[in-house]
Every structure is written in structure tokens, then in C-alpha cells.
Amino acid sequence: MRNRGVWEDASTATVLVLVLCSSYGIAEVKSQSQKVSGLFVFGDSLVEVGNNNFLNTIARANYFPYGIDFGRGSTGRFSNGKSLIDFIGDLLGIPSPPPFADPSTVGTRILYGVNYASASAGILDESGRHYGDRYSLSQQVLNFENTLNQYRTMMNGSALNQFLAKSIAVVVTGSNDYINNYLLPGLYGSSRNYTAQDFGNLLVNSYVRQILALHSVGLRKFFLAGIGPLGCIPSLRAAALAPTGRCVDLVNQMVGTFNEGLRSMVDQLNRNHPNAIFVYGNTYRVFGDILNNPAAF
């Protein structure tokens, strides 16, 4: 890691966790996991654990074969087994936080944090609307504030401030603002109203407002993941937008604009808020490494 704000050489979820922990001076993750009180997770299907099960949406993963390799079955995780957040929780030695929308996510269940992530959601409120209800990033922040009201009934102000300051906020969002908004001109007008550069700037500016809102209520440790190479996902490659066997370079260039803006935002946040830590996760490089060096994985 060049500095506390940027991670360049990650290749696995494990390394991402080590980055988070090294930012806080933790040499051995599990043995010193008490330095992390809990996880608060914001984002989309990449980190969702079941919020959409409770929403009126077709963007759900609570059915077979999702969860086929997960001990609890199809929970709403958009994967065959554990999610990135589950692995992070394992390595930190704390439980993976439960979904906010689950009515049972109260009391002792929230002692190690809450997961607010919602499949099809993005930074912008309208992204993913064609799938039905979802928690956009701004709504997820409001949901977090709802959780804070629960904490205030469980601990005094000093204890709550300490709990939040020792917790980690993981934010993985932005993909749906492209694949379920900007790149669907038949359903959304964003590509007609914004150039790719302007749209990337719009996303970053909207993003930072939500991060500052989370900081203002007490969170101090943030891991902000960039967007991966969306031009390489199967749906876009299958749309005949690129030569056979190649990724859609134009889409990857759009994502690059957003990632560059997010990285600059992280640097600025660290300068403006010395009492907090903001880490940028180079997701694009992580997946690029997987695509370019599959045998290594």
C-alpha cells in the first residue's frame, strides 16, 4: 500500500481484509480483532446478504442454486457460497452482519453491525428501478441512521461513539449505475443527458455526500471499493459490443473515469478528515488480475 488511502496490489478477498486491518495498525487480524467492533456494509448484490428478500423486487437470490455451497442454503447472497463480507467477518473474528430489512435484525443481532446492501441498487436513487424496490445508497444511509436509534437505547453516548469509531464501513457500489442505468438507454435517459465523464463526476459527487453523512454520525474507518471491469461481464460481452473473446473497452473506459474520481475523492477525504481513515480498493485491478492470470487462481 503506497499510503493509507490507496491499495494497488490486492488479488484476493483476504488481501482486502489485510489492507483494512493494516490501516488500523493490526498485525495479526484474528488475534487483535477486538480492535474492530463491527461491520457496516453498504452497496449492491456483490455484498448483499438478504435485504431484497423483504422487498418487492425480482432482484432476489433466495432460491436454488444460489447458496448451494453455503451451510444455510439460499439466504439472498448472490453467490454459491459465502460473500466477500462473510470472508471479511471470518478473518476479523466477528459475525457477518445480518440484513437490515429482516425484522429479526434487532437487539443482540446488531451488536456486530448491520448489512444494508441491496441488489440492483446504485449510488443514484433511480438506478435499478426496473427490477422493483431496492435500497439506493442514500436510503441505505437513512437505514443506518435508523439502526443508530436502536443503539442509543442499548448504550450511552460515549460507548456508542467508541463503538462506531472502532467499526469498519465497507461500501461496494456503483456498478448498477452503469449496467442498470447508463448502459440501458431504452429505460433511462442518463446517457442522453450526460457524457460518460459528466456521469462519472455525478456519481462521485453523489457518493461523497453519503460518505460524509456516515462520517458525520460517527463512523471513522471506511473501505471504499472501486468498480470492476464491467466491460468484461458476460451480459455485455454477449451483446456483441466487442470482438469475440474480448471485453467492451468503451465500458471499461467509463468505469475508469469513475474509479479515478473515487480515488481522488479518497485522497481528499483523508486530507480533510485526519481523525478518520478512508481506503480505496482497486477492484478493477483485482478482477483484471484474475482475468489476465486465471491459472494463478
Side-chain angles (χ1 to χ4, degrees):
M1 189 166 64
R2 292 184 188 172
N3 56 58
R4 71 175 185 169
V6 181
W7 176 252
E8 287 288 359
D9 300 315
S11 60
T12 67
T14 300
V15 176
L16 291 178
V17 178
L18 294 176
V19 176
L20 287 168
C21 296
S22 65
S23 298
Y24 319 135
I26 301 176
E28 297 294 336
V29 180
K30 282 190 174 180
S31 65
Q32 300 192 42
S33 62
Q34 69 273 14
K35 290 190 177 183
V36 176
S37 299
L39 289 171
F40 292 97
V41 183
F42 306 86
D44 52 33
S45 60
L46 294 174
V47 287
E48 191 194 331
V49 295
N51 278 305
N52 280 22
N53 297 351
F54 303 91
L55 301 180
N56 182 21
T57 176
I58 61 173
R60 293 184 179 182
N62 57 345
Y63 55 89
F64 183 86
Y66 292 110
I68 191 171
D69 299 312
F70 191 58
R72 290 161 50 196
S74 302
T75 59
R77 288 164 169 78
F78 283 73
S79 64
N80 60 297
K82 291 182 177 181
S83 74
L84 170 64
I85 298 303
D86 297 318
F87 286 112
I88 290 177
D90 288 346
L91 288 169
L92 291 175
I94 59 178
S96 179
F100 168 82
D102 187 335
S104 68
T105 301
V106 295
T108 57
R109 288 203 73 204
I110 68 173
L111 289 180
Y112 294 99
V114 176
N115 188 314
Y116 305 90
S118 178
S120 79
I123 298 168
L124 303 181
D125 290 344
E126 64 267 26
S127 295
R129 68 187 176 201
H130 59 290
Y131 284 111
D133 295 339
R134 69 258 172 244
Y135 293 145
S136 65
L137 182 60
S138 62
Q139 184 60 55
Q140 291 177 38
V141 172
L142 292 176
N143 292 344
F144 171 75
E145 293 175 359
N146 180 290
T147 301
L148 285 184
N149 290 332
Q150 293 188 58
Y151 284 132
R152 293 185 181 106
T153 67
M154 302 167 65
M155 59 187 84
N156 62 39
S158 177
L160 177 56
N161 288 339
Q162 185 179 34
F163 171 75
L164 294 175
K166 291 171 61 179
S167 295
I168 298 174
V170 177
V171 188
V172 182
T173 189
S175 295
N176 287 311
D177 294 291
Y178 286 97
I179 59 178
N180 286 311
N181 186 334
Y182 196 77
L183 296 174
L184 293 178
L187 297 176
Y188 301 88
S190 53
S191 61
R192 295 187 295 274
N193 297 327
Y194 298 96
T195 65
Q197 178 74 50
D198 289 342
F199 188 69
N201 293 338
L202 172 67
L203 295 181
V204 172
N205 290 334
S206 300
Y207 194 126
V208 71
R209 285 197 296 271
Q210 303 307 326
I211 299 305
L212 290 174
L214 293 173
H215 177 274
S216 71
V217 293
L219 290 173
R220 293 293 179 268
K221 304 180 193 302
F222 296 85
F223 180 79
L224 310 178
I227 301 176
L230 295 181
C232 300
I233 65 175
S235 61
L236 288 179
R237 293 178 66 178
L241 297 176
T244 302
R246 294 289 304 276
C247 298
V248 185
D249 292 337
L250 179 62
V251 173
N252 285 341
Q253 291 167 10
M254 293 179 187
V255 170
T257 297
F258 171 83
N259 286 338
E260 291 171 6
L262 177 60
R263 177 172 169 169
S264 296
M265 181 193 80
V266 166
D267 291 340
Q268 187 65 48
L269 287 170
N270 280 313
R271 287 192 294 268
N272 293 347
H273 303 280
N275 66 334
I277 297 174
F278 302 86
V279 175
Y280 169 72
N282 194 339
T283 308
Y284 193 101
R285 179 161 182 165
V286 171
F287 283 97
D289 190 28
I290 293 172
L291 290 169
N292 293 326
N293 303 287
F297 298 88

Short mmCIF file of all heavy atoms in Angstrom, two decimals, residues 137-194:
data_model
loop_
_atom_site.label_atom_id
_atom_site.label_comp_id
_atom_site.label_asym_id
_atom_site.label_seq_id
_atom_site.Cartn_x
_atom_site.Cartn_y
_atom_site.Cartn_z
N LEU A 137 -28.18 3.88 -2.31
CA LEU A 137 -27.16 4.24 -1.32
C LEU A 137 -27.70 5.27 -0.33
O LEU A 137 -27.46 5.15 0.88
CB LEU A 137 -25.91 4.77 -2.01
CG LEU A 137 -24.75 5.14 -1.06
CD1 LEU A 137 -24.31 3.92 -0.25
CD2 LEU A 137 -23.58 5.71 -1.86
N SER A 138 -28.44 6.26 -0.82
CA SER A 138 -28.97 7.28 0.10
C SER A 138 -29.96 6.66 1.08
O SER A 138 -29.98 7.02 2.26
CB SER A 138 -29.64 8.42 -0.69
OG SER A 138 -30.74 7.94 -1.44
N GLN A 139 -30.77 5.71 0.63
CA GLN A 139 -31.71 5.04 1.53
C GLN A 139 -30.96 4.15 2.52
O GLN A 139 -31.36 4.04 3.69
CB GLN A 139 -32.71 4.21 0.74
CG GLN A 139 -33.78 3.55 1.59
CD GLN A 139 -34.61 4.55 2.38
OE1 GLN A 139 -35.18 5.48 1.79
NE2 GLN A 139 -34.67 4.39 3.69
N GLN A 140 -29.87 3.55 2.08
CA GLN A 140 -29.08 2.73 3.00
C GLN A 140 -28.50 3.58 4.12
O GLN A 140 -28.42 3.14 5.28
CB GLN A 140 -27.97 2.02 2.22
CG GLN A 140 -28.48 0.94 1.28
CD GLN A 140 -27.39 0.29 0.47
OE1 GLN A 140 -26.28 0.05 0.96
NE2 GLN A 140 -27.67 0.00 -0.81
N VAL A 141 -28.10 4.79 3.80
CA VAL A 141 -27.59 5.70 4.83
C VAL A 141 -28.70 6.06 5.81
O VAL A 141 -28.48 6.10 7.03
CB VAL A 141 -26.98 6.96 4.19
CG1 VAL A 141 -26.62 7.99 5.26
CG2 VAL A 141 -25.73 6.59 3.37
N LEU A 142 -29.89 6.30 5.30
CA LEU A 142 -31.03 6.56 6.19
C LEU A 142 -31.33 5.34 7.05
O LEU A 142 -31.67 5.48 8.24
CB LEU A 142 -32.26 6.95 5.36
CG LEU A 142 -32.20 8.28 4.63
CD1 LEU A 142 -33.45 8.48 3.77
CD2 LEU A 142 -32.06 9.44 5.62
N ASN A 143 -31.22 4.16 6.48
CA ASN A 143 -31.45 2.94 7.25
C ASN A 143 -30.41 2.79 8.37
O ASN A 143 -30.73 2.33 9.47
CB ASN A 143 -31.41 1.72 6.34
CG ASN A 143 -32.58 1.68 5.38
OD1 ASN A 143 -33.58 2.37 5.56
ND2 ASN A 143 -32.48 0.86 4.34
N PHE A 144 -29.18 3.19 8.07
CA PHE A 144 -28.13 3.16 9.09
C PHE A 144 -28.50 4.08 10.26
O PHE A 144 -28.30 3.74 11.43
CB PHE A 144 -26.79 3.58 8.49
CG PHE A 144 -25.70 3.79 9.50
CD1 PHE A 144 -25.09 2.71 10.11
CD2 PHE A 144 -25.29 5.07 9.84
CE1 PHE A 144 -24.09 2.90 11.06
CE2 PHE A 144 -24.29 5.27 10.78
CZ PHE A 144 -23.68 4.18 11.39
N GLU A 145 -29.04 5.24 9.94
CA GLU A 145 -29.43 6.17 10.99
C GLU A 145 -30.58 5.59 11.83
O GLU A 145 -30.68 5.84 13.03
CB GLU A 145 -29.80 7.52 10.38
CG GLU A 145 -28.58 8.22 9.76
CD GLU A 145 -28.92 9.51 9.04
OE1 GLU A 145 -30.12 9.87 9.00
OE2 GLU A 145 -28.00 10.14 8.51
N ASN A 146 -31.41 4.78 11.20
CA ASN A 146 -32.45 4.07 11.94
C ASN A 146 -31.82 3.10 12.94
O ASN A 146 -32.26 2.99 14.09
CB ASN A 146 -33.37 3.33 10.96
CG ASN A 146 -34.49 2.58 11.64
OD1 ASN A 146 -34.25 1.57 12.30
ND2 ASN A 146 -35.72 3.03 11.45
N THR A 147 -30.77 2.41 12.49
CA THR A 147 -30.06 1.50 13.38
C THR A 147 -29.43 2.26 14.55
O THR A 147 -29.41 1.76 15.68
CB THR A 147 -28.97 0.74 12.61
OG1 THR A 147 -29.57 -0.01 11.54
CG2 THR A 147 -28.22 -0.23 13.51
N LEU A 148 -28.92 3.44 14.28
CA LEU A 148 -28.33 4.24 15.35
C LEU A 148 -29.34 4.50 16.47
O LEU A 148 -28.97 4.52 17.65
CB LEU A 148 -27.82 5.58 14.80
CG LEU A 148 -26.52 5.56 13.99
CD1 LEU A 148 -26.13 6.97 13.61
CD2 LEU A 148 -25.41 4.88 14.78
N ASN A 149 -30.60 4.71 16.11
CA ASN A 149 -31.63 4.92 17.13
C ASN A 149 -31.76 3.69 18.02
O ASN A 149 -32.01 3.81 19.23
CB ASN A 149 -32.96 5.26 16.47
CG ASN A 149 -32.97 6.62 15.81
OD1 ASN A 149 -32.24 7.53 16.23
ND2 ASN A 149 -33.75 6.79 14.76
N GLN A 150 -31.59 2.50 17.43
CA GLN A 150 -31.62 1.29 18.25
C GLN A 150 -30.42 1.24 19.19
O GLN A 150 -30.55 0.90 20.37
CB GLN A 150 -31.61 0.05 17.35
CG GLN A 150 -32.86 -0.16 16.52
CD GLN A 150 -32.84 -1.51 15.81
OE1 GLN A 150 -32.75 -2.55 16.46
NE2 GLN A 150 -32.92 -1.46 14.49
N TYR A 151 -29.25 1.58 18.67
CA TYR A 151 -28.05 1.56 19.52
C TYR A 151 -28.18 2.53 20.70
O TYR A 151 -27.68 2.25 21.79
CB TYR A 151 -26.81 1.93 18.69
CG TYR A 151 -26.31 0.83 17.78
CD1 TYR A 151 -26.01 1.09 16.45
CD2 TYR A 151 -26.13 -0.47 18.26
CE1 TYR A 151 -25.54 0.08 15.61
CE2 TYR A 151 -25.66 -1.47 17.42
CZ TYR A 151 -25.37 -1.20 16.10
OH TYR A 151 -24.91 -2.19 15.27
N ARG A 152 -28.84 3.65 20.46
CA ARG A 152 -28.96 4.64 21.54
C ARG A 152 -29.79 4.14 22.72
O ARG A 152 -29.68 4.66 23.82
CB ARG A 152 -29.56 5.93 20.98
CG ARG A 152 -28.62 6.65 19.99
CD ARG A 152 -29.17 7.99 19.53
NE ARG A 152 -28.26 8.62 18.59
CZ ARG A 152 -28.47 8.71 17.28
NH1 ARG A 152 -29.60 8.23 16.75
NH2 ARG A 152 -27.58 9.30 16.49
N THR A 153 -30.61 3.12 22.45
CA THR A 153 -31.37 2.52 23.54
C THR A 153 -30.58 1.41 24.23
O THR A 153 -30.98 0.90 25.27
CB THR A 153 -32.69 1.90 23.02
OG1 THR A 153 -32.41 0.77 22.18
CG2 THR A 153 -33.49 2.94 22.23
N MET A 154 -29.42 1.05 23.65
CA MET A 154 -28.63 -0.07 24.16
C MET A 154 -27.34 0.37 24.85
O MET A 154 -26.76 -0.39 25.62
CB MET A 154 -28.29 -1.02 23.01
CG MET A 154 -29.50 -1.58 22.29
SD MET A 154 -29.09 -2.39 20.70
CE MET A 154 -28.09 -3.77 21.25
N MET A 155 -26.87 1.59 24.57
CA MET A 155 -25.61 2.06 25.17
C MET A 155 -25.62 3.57 25.27
O MET A 155 -26.39 4.25 24.58
CB MET A 155 -24.42 1.58 24.33
CG MET A 155 -24.43 2.04 22.89
SD MET A 155 -23.09 1.30 21.87
CE MET A 155 -23.83 -0.26 21.39
N ASN A 156 -24.79 4.11 26.15
CA ASN A 156 -24.74 5.56 26.31
C ASN A 156 -23.96 6.20 25.16
O ASN A 156 -23.33 5.51 24.35
CB ASN A 156 -24.14 5.95 27.66
CG ASN A 156 -22.71 5.48 27.85
OD1 ASN A 156 -21.90 5.51 26.92
ND2 ASN A 156 -22.37 5.05 29.07
N GLY A 157 -23.99 7.51 25.12
CA GLY A 157 -23.38 8.23 24.00
C GLY A 157 -21.90 7.97 23.85
O GLY A 157 -21.40 7.79 22.73
N SER A 158 -21.16 7.92 24.95
CA SER A 158 -19.72 7.68 24.89
C SER A 158 -19.41 6.29 24.35
O SER A 158 -18.53 6.13 23.49
CB SER A 158 -19.12 7.85 26.29
OG SER A 158 -17.73 7.57 26.27
N ALA A 159 -20.15 5.30 24.83
CA ALA A 159 -19.93 3.93 24.37
C ALA A 159 -20.28 3.80 22.89
O ALA A 159 -19.59 3.10 22.13
CB ALA A 159 -20.75 2.97 25.20
N LEU A 160 -21.34 4.47 22.45
CA LEU A 160 -21.74 4.41 21.05
C LEU A 160 -20.68 5.05 20.16
O LEU A 160 -20.33 4.50 19.10
CB LEU A 160 -23.09 5.09 20.85
CG LEU A 160 -23.61 5.17 19.41
CD1 LEU A 160 -23.69 3.77 18.79
CD2 LEU A 160 -24.97 5.85 19.37
N ASN A 161 -20.15 6.20 20.58
CA ASN A 161 -19.12 6.86 19.79
C ASN A 161 -17.89 5.97 19.63
O ASN A 161 -17.30 5.89 18.54
CB ASN A 161 -18.73 8.18 20.44
CG ASN A 161 -19.81 9.24 20.31
OD1 ASN A 161 -20.68 9.15 19.44
ND2 ASN A 161 -19.79 10.23 21.18
N GLN A 162 -17.52 5.29 20.70
CA GLN A 162 -16.36 4.41 20.65
C GLN A 162 -16.64 3.20 19.75
O GLN A 162 -15.79 2.79 18.96
CB GLN A 162 -15.99 3.94 22.05
CG GLN A 162 -14.72 3.10 22.11
CD GLN A 162 -14.36 2.68 23.52
OE1 GLN A 162 -15.22 2.44 24.36
NE2 GLN A 162 -13.06 2.60 23.79
N PHE A 163 -17.84 2.66 19.87
CA PHE A 163 -18.23 1.52 19.04
C PHE A 163 -18.16 1.87 17.55
O PHE A 163 -17.61 1.12 16.74
CB PHE A 163 -19.64 1.08 19.42
CG PHE A 163 -20.25 0.05 18.50
CD1 PHE A 163 -19.85 -1.28 18.55
CD2 PHE A 163 -21.23 0.41 17.58
CE1 PHE A 163 -20.40 -2.23 17.69
CE2 PHE A 163 -21.79 -0.53 16.73
CZ PHE A 163 -21.38 -1.85 16.78
N LEU A 164 -18.71 3.02 17.18
CA LEU A 164 -18.72 3.42 15.79
C LEU A 164 -17.31 3.71 15.28
O LEU A 164 -16.95 3.36 14.15
CB LEU A 164 -19.61 4.66 15.61
CG LEU A 164 -21.10 4.46 15.86
CD1 LEU A 164 -21.84 5.79 15.77
CD2 LEU A 164 -21.70 3.45 14.89
N ALA A 165 -16.50 4.36 16.13
CA ALA A 165 -15.15 4.72 15.72
C ALA A 165 -14.28 3.49 15.48
O ALA A 165 -13.34 3.52 14.69
CB ALA A 165 -14.51 5.62 16.77
N LYS A 166 -14.59 2.39 16.16
CA LYS A 166 -13.81 1.15 16.03
C LYS A 166 -14.41 0.19 15.01
O LYS A 166 -13.89 -0.90 14.80
CB LYS A 166 -13.70 0.46 17.40
CG LYS A 166 -12.83 1.22 18.39
CD LYS A 166 -12.94 0.61 19.79
CE LYS A 166 -12.46 -0.83 19.81
NZ LYS A 166 -12.53 -1.41 21.18
N SER A 167 -15.51 0.58 14.40
CA SER A 167 -16.15 -0.26 13.39
C SER A 167 -15.62 0.08 12.00
O SER A 167 -15.00 1.12 11.80
CB SER A 167 -17.67 -0.07 13.42
OG SER A 167 -18.22 -0.52 14.65
N ILE A 168 -15.88 -0.80 11.05
CA ILE A 168 -15.47 -0.58 9.66
C ILE A 168 -16.71 -0.47 8.78
O ILE A 168 -17.61 -1.30 8.86
CB ILE A 168 -14.61 -1.74 9.14
CG1 ILE A 168 -13.32 -1.88 9.95
CG2 ILE A 168 -14.27 -1.55 7.66
CD1 ILE A 168 -12.49 -3.09 9.57
N ALA A 169 -16.75 0.56 7.98
CA ALA A 169 -17.81 0.71 6.97
C ALA A 169 -17.25 0.24 5.63
O ALA A 169 -16.24 0.76 5.15
CB ALA A 169 -18.25 2.17 6.87
N VAL A 170 -17.89 -0.77 5.06
CA VAL A 170 -17.48 -1.29 3.75
C VAL A 170 -18.52 -0.85 2.73
O VAL A 170 -19.71 -1.14 2.89
CB VAL A 170 -17.39 -2.83 3.78
CG1 VAL A 170 -17.02 -3.37 2.39
CG2 VAL A 170 -16.36 -3.29 4.81
N VAL A 171 -18.09 -0.17 1.69
CA VAL A 171 -19.01 0.35 0.68
C VAL A 171 -18.60 -0.19 -0.69
O VAL A 171 -17.50 0.05 -1.16
CB VAL A 171 -19.03 1.89 0.65
CG1 VAL A 171 -20.13 2.39 -0.27
CG2 VAL A 171 -19.20 2.46 2.06
N VAL A 172 -19.50 -0.97 -1.31
CA VAL A 172 -19.25 -1.55 -2.63
C VAL A 172 -20.44 -1.22 -3.50
O VAL A 172 -21.47 -1.89 -3.48
CB VAL A 172 -19.07 -3.08 -2.52
CG1 VAL A 172 -18.77 -3.68 -3.90
CG2 VAL A 172 -17.98 -3.44 -1.53
N THR A 173 -20.32 -0.17 -4.28
CA THR A 173 -21.46 0.30 -5.07
C THR A 173 -20.99 1.00 -6.34
O THR A 173 -19.81 1.29 -6.50
CB THR A 173 -22.34 1.25 -4.22
OG1 THR A 173 -23.56 1.52 -4.92
CG2 THR A 173 -21.62 2.55 -3.93
N GLY A 174 -21.93 1.25 -7.25
CA GLY A 174 -21.61 1.97 -8.48
C GLY A 174 -21.84 1.17 -9.74
O GLY A 174 -22.14 1.73 -10.80
N SER A 175 -21.72 -0.16 -9.66
CA SER A 175 -21.87 -0.99 -10.87
C SER A 175 -23.24 -0.83 -11.50
O SER A 175 -23.38 -0.72 -12.73
CB SER A 175 -21.64 -2.46 -10.52
OG SER A 175 -20.32 -2.69 -10.11
N ASN A 176 -24.28 -0.81 -10.67
CA ASN A 176 -25.65 -0.72 -11.20
C ASN A 176 -25.97 0.64 -11.81
O ASN A 176 -26.90 0.75 -12.60
CB ASN A 176 -26.66 -1.05 -10.10
CG ASN A 176 -26.68 -2.53 -9.78
OD1 ASN A 176 -26.75 -3.37 -10.67
ND2 ASN A 176 -26.60 -2.86 -8.51
N ASP A 177 -25.20 1.64 -11.44
CA ASP A 177 -25.41 2.95 -12.06
C ASP A 177 -25.00 2.93 -13.53
O ASP A 177 -25.44 3.77 -14.32
CB ASP A 177 -24.62 4.02 -11.31
CG ASP A 177 -25.14 4.21 -9.90
OD1 ASP A 177 -26.25 4.73 -9.74
OD2 ASP A 177 -24.43 3.80 -8.94
N TYR A 178 -24.20 1.96 -13.88
CA TYR A 178 -23.83 1.76 -15.28
C TYR A 178 -24.68 0.67 -15.93
O TYR A 178 -25.43 0.94 -16.88
CB TYR A 178 -22.33 1.41 -15.38
CG TYR A 178 -21.45 2.60 -15.14
CD1 TYR A 178 -20.89 2.83 -13.88
CD2 TYR A 178 -21.18 3.52 -16.16
CE1 TYR A 178 -20.08 3.94 -13.66
CE2 TYR A 178 -20.38 4.63 -15.95
CZ TYR A 178 -19.83 4.83 -14.69
OH TYR A 178 -19.05 5.94 -14.46
N ILE A 179 -24.61 -0.57 -15.42
CA ILE A 179 -25.28 -1.67 -16.12
C ILE A 179 -26.79 -1.63 -15.97
O ILE A 179 -27.52 -2.19 -16.80
CB ILE A 179 -24.74 -3.03 -15.66
CG1 ILE A 179 -24.92 -3.23 -14.15
CG2 ILE A 179 -23.29 -3.19 -16.04
CD1 ILE A 179 -24.44 -4.59 -13.65
N ASN A 180 -27.29 -0.95 -14.94
CA ASN A 180 -28.73 -0.84 -14.75
C ASN A 180 -29.19 0.61 -14.73
O ASN A 180 -30.13 0.97 -14.01
CB ASN A 180 -29.17 -1.56 -13.47
CG ASN A 180 -29.13 -3.06 -13.63
OD1 ASN A 180 -29.65 -3.60 -14.60
ND2 ASN A 180 -28.50 -3.73 -12.68
N ASN A 181 -28.52 1.42 -15.56
CA ASN A 181 -28.91 2.81 -15.73
C ASN A 181 -28.27 3.35 -17.01
O ASN A 181 -28.87 3.32 -18.07
CB ASN A 181 -28.52 3.65 -14.51
CG ASN A 181 -29.02 5.08 -14.57
OD1 ASN A 181 -29.25 5.63 -15.64
ND2 ASN A 181 -29.21 5.70 -13.41
N TYR A 182 -27.03 3.79 -16.93
CA TYR A 182 -26.39 4.49 -18.03
C TYR A 182 -26.33 3.66 -19.32
O TYR A 182 -26.45 4.20 -20.42
CB TYR A 182 -24.98 4.91 -17.62
CG TYR A 182 -24.37 5.96 -18.53
CD1 TYR A 182 -24.75 7.30 -18.42
CD2 TYR A 182 -23.41 5.62 -19.47
CE1 TYR A 182 -24.20 8.26 -19.24
CE2 TYR A 182 -22.84 6.57 -20.30
CZ TYR A 182 -23.24 7.90 -20.19
OH TYR A 182 -22.69 8.85 -21.00
N LEU A 183 -26.15 2.35 -19.18
CA LEU A 183 -26.00 1.49 -20.36
C LEU A 183 -27.32 0.89 -20.83
O LEU A 183 -27.33 -0.03 -21.66
CB LEU A 183 -24.99 0.37 -20.05
CG LEU A 183 -23.56 0.84 -19.78
CD1 LEU A 183 -22.67 -0.31 -19.34
CD2 LEU A 183 -22.97 1.54 -21.01
N LEU A 184 -28.43 1.42 -20.30
CA LEU A 184 -29.76 1.00 -20.75
C LEU A 184 -30.52 2.23 -21.26
O LEU A 184 -31.47 2.70 -20.63
CB LEU A 184 -30.53 0.33 -19.59
CG LEU A 184 -30.00 -1.01 -19.08
CD1 LEU A 184 -30.84 -1.49 -17.91
CD2 LEU A 184 -29.99 -2.05 -20.21
N PRO A 185 -30.14 2.75 -22.42
CA PRO A 185 -30.76 3.99 -22.93
C PRO A 185 -32.25 3.85 -23.22
O PRO A 185 -32.96 4.85 -23.25
CB PRO A 185 -29.97 4.28 -24.21
CG PRO A 185 -29.41 2.95 -24.62
CD PRO A 185 -29.09 2.23 -23.34
N GLY A 186 -32.73 2.62 -23.39
CA GLY A 186 -34.15 2.44 -23.63
C GLY A 186 -35.00 2.62 -22.38
O GLY A 186 -36.21 2.85 -22.48
N LEU A 187 -34.36 2.54 -21.22
CA LEU A 187 -35.09 2.66 -19.95
C LEU A 187 -34.72 3.90 -19.15
O LEU A 187 -35.51 4.37 -18.33
CB LEU A 187 -34.82 1.41 -19.08
CG LEU A 187 -35.31 0.07 -19.64
CD1 LEU A 187 -34.89 -1.06 -18.71
CD2 LEU A 187 -36.83 0.08 -19.81
N TYR A 188 -33.52 4.42 -19.38
CA TYR A 188 -33.03 5.56 -18.62
C TYR A 188 -32.48 6.64 -19.56
O TYR A 188 -31.89 6.31 -20.59
CB TYR A 188 -31.93 5.13 -17.64
CG TYR A 188 -32.37 4.08 -16.64
CD1 TYR A 188 -32.29 2.72 -16.94
CD2 TYR A 188 -32.88 4.45 -15.39
CE1 TYR A 188 -32.70 1.75 -16.04
CE2 TYR A 188 -33.28 3.48 -14.47
CZ TYR A 188 -33.19 2.15 -14.80
OH TYR A 188 -33.61 1.19 -13.89
N GLY A 189 -32.63 7.88 -19.17
CA GLY A 189 -32.18 8.98 -20.02
C GLY A 189 -30.79 9.48 -19.69
O GLY A 189 -30.34 10.46 -20.29
N SER A 190 -30.10 8.84 -18.77
CA SER A 190 -28.82 9.37 -18.30
C SER A 190 -27.77 9.47 -19.40
O SER A 190 -27.01 10.44 -19.44
CB SER A 190 -28.28 8.51 -17.15
OG SER A 190 -28.23 7.15 -17.52
N SER A 191 -27.74 8.49 -20.32
CA SER A 191 -26.73 8.54 -21.38
C SER A 191 -27.01 9.65 -22.38
O SER A 191 -26.11 10.06 -23.12
CB SER A 191 -26.63 7.19 -22.08
OG SER A 191 -27.87 6.86 -22.69
N ARG A 192 -28.25 10.11 -22.44
CA ARG A 192 -28.58 11.24 -23.32
C ARG A 192 -28.33 12.57 -22.63
O ARG A 192 -28.07 13.59 -23.28
CB ARG A 192 -30.05 11.15 -23.75
CG ARG A 192 -30.36 9.95 -24.63
CD ARG A 192 -31.78 9.99 -25.17
NE ARG A 192 -32.78 9.87 -24.10
CZ ARG A 192 -33.22 8.72 -23.61
NH1 ARG A 192 -32.71 7.57 -24.07
NH2 ARG A 192 -34.15 8.69 -22.67
N ASN A 193 -28.40 12.57 -21.31
CA ASN A 193 -28.25 13.81 -20.56
C ASN A 193 -26.83 14.08 -20.09
O ASN A 193 -26.50 15.23 -19.75
CB ASN A 193 -29.17 13.78 -19.33
CG ASN A 193 -30.64 13.70 -19.71
OD1 ASN A 193 -31.05 14.25 -20.74
ND2 ASN A 193 -31.44 13.03 -18.89
N TYR A 194 -26.00 13.04 -20.06
CA TYR A 194 -24.64 13.20 -19.54
C TYR A 194 -23.64 12.51 -20.46
O TYR A 194 -23.90 11.42 -20.96
CB TYR A 194 -24.49 12.57 -18.15
CG TYR A 194 -25.37 13.18 -17.08
CD1 TYR A 194 -26.60 12.59 -16.76
CD2 TYR A 194 -24.98 14.31 -16.37
CE1 TYR A 194 -27.42 13.13 -15.78
CE2 TYR A 194 -25.78 14.84 -15.38
CZ TYR A 194 -27.00 14.26 -15.08
OH TYR A 194 -27.80 14.79 -14.11
#
